[in-house]
Amino acid sequence: MRIQLAQRTEADELLGRSPLALLVGMLLDQQIPMEWAFTGPQTISERLGHDLTAGEIASYDPEAFAALLADKPAVHRYPKAMAGRVQQLAAYLVEHYDGAPEKIWADAADGKELLKRLQDLPGYGKQKAQIFLALLGKQLGVQPPGWREAAGLYGEEGSHRSVADVVDAESLGRVRAAKQEAKRAAKAK
């Protein structure tokens, strides 16, 4: 299956071939539209001149990396703060997974273990980890035993709750509608 989270061919191709880009896109997916967040890794790659590597990002001068993300168009609404978070994520990947993000899920015994590994990532709370776990299971075939249960509601088959369920423009619209309905329901309480 082809990743279509950025809704832009080059950005989606990068997300499909680079686990680091996918993790960074998920990290950036807060307080900005999903497409903008998942285009971020492509923008960073273009500015670096090549695909992302955890080692390079982790060792990049923090001020220069923040400036790289702040260049117009900015990678995020809060480029300096997000640059720090991306570098923390990259440093963690270098320290714990030799800079290879796919090692997070390659040998996970079950969904519960994979969820814990994802929650251990800087910038990944429980909800973000569950959504990413659902994305791995639904779109990339990473399905250790119990992955749907570990992903919670995001792992439900046929749901349209999160980026894990976005496979084209139509499903993106359904996810947006479900999120708006959830917000309305929360306000009504």
Side-chain angles (χ1 to χ4, degrees):
M1 181 173 283
R2 192 168 78 85
I3 298 290
Q4 295 188 56
L5 301 175
Q7 303 287 304
R8 291 181 49 207
T9 303
E10 284 186 15
D12 285 329
E13 286 174 357
L14 177 63
L15 296 172
R17 75 175 177 267
S18 169
L20 178 57
L22 198 58
L23 278 171
V24 169
M26 188 73 208
L27 180 68
L28 295 172
D29 189 21
Q30 55 189 15
Q31 300 178 320
I32 60 173
M34 180 200 79
E35 301 93 324
W36 184 9
F38 283 96
T39 299
Q42 174 66 25
T43 304
I44 297 168
S45 289
E46 287 172 355
R47 292 174 185 174
L48 292 174
H50 51 79
D51 281 3
L52 308 176
T53 66
E56 179 181 16
I57 292 171
S59 63
Y60 215 91
D61 175 74
E63 286 185 27
F65 193 67
L68 186 89
L69 269 66
D71 281 349
K72 302 291 184 216
V75 170
H76 195 276
R77 175 185 287 169
Y78 304 107
K80 185 174 182 176
M82 293 312 290
R85 289 183 182 174
V86 170
Q87 286 194 288
Q88 288 172 342
L89 174 63
Y92 185 89
L93 293 171
V94 168
E95 182 180 342
H96 297 277
Y97 296 101
D98 299 320
E102 59 277 8
K103 289 183 177 181
I104 297 168
W105 51 86
D107 65 350
D110 57 30
K112 197 173 182 179
E113 180 183 342
L114 180 50
L115 179 63
K116 185 195 178 316
R117 289 180 182 185
L118 291 168
Q119 283 183 263
D120 288 345
L121 297 174
Y124 276 66
K126 183 177 181 182
Q127 183 180 32
K128 191 173 288 282
Q130 284 183 309
I131 292 169
F132 196 81
L133 175 54
L135 175 63
L136 290 171
K138 290 178 175 183
Q139 296 198 37
L140 299 178
V142 177
Q143 301 177 344
W147 73 272
R148 284 192 189 275
E149 294 78 11
L153 294 175
Y154 303 105
E156 288 180 358
E157 197 166 345
S159 68
H160 286 88
R161 287 190 170 85
S162 71
V163 300
D165 305 307
V166 176
V167 295
D168 55 23
E170 189 262 330
S171 57
L172 172 60
R174 292 176 73 181
V175 167
R176 283 219 166 98
K179 285 183 176 188
Q180 289 172 347
E181 183 55 39
K183 283 181 183 179
R184 277 194 289 275
K187 283 184 180 180
K189 287 184 179 182

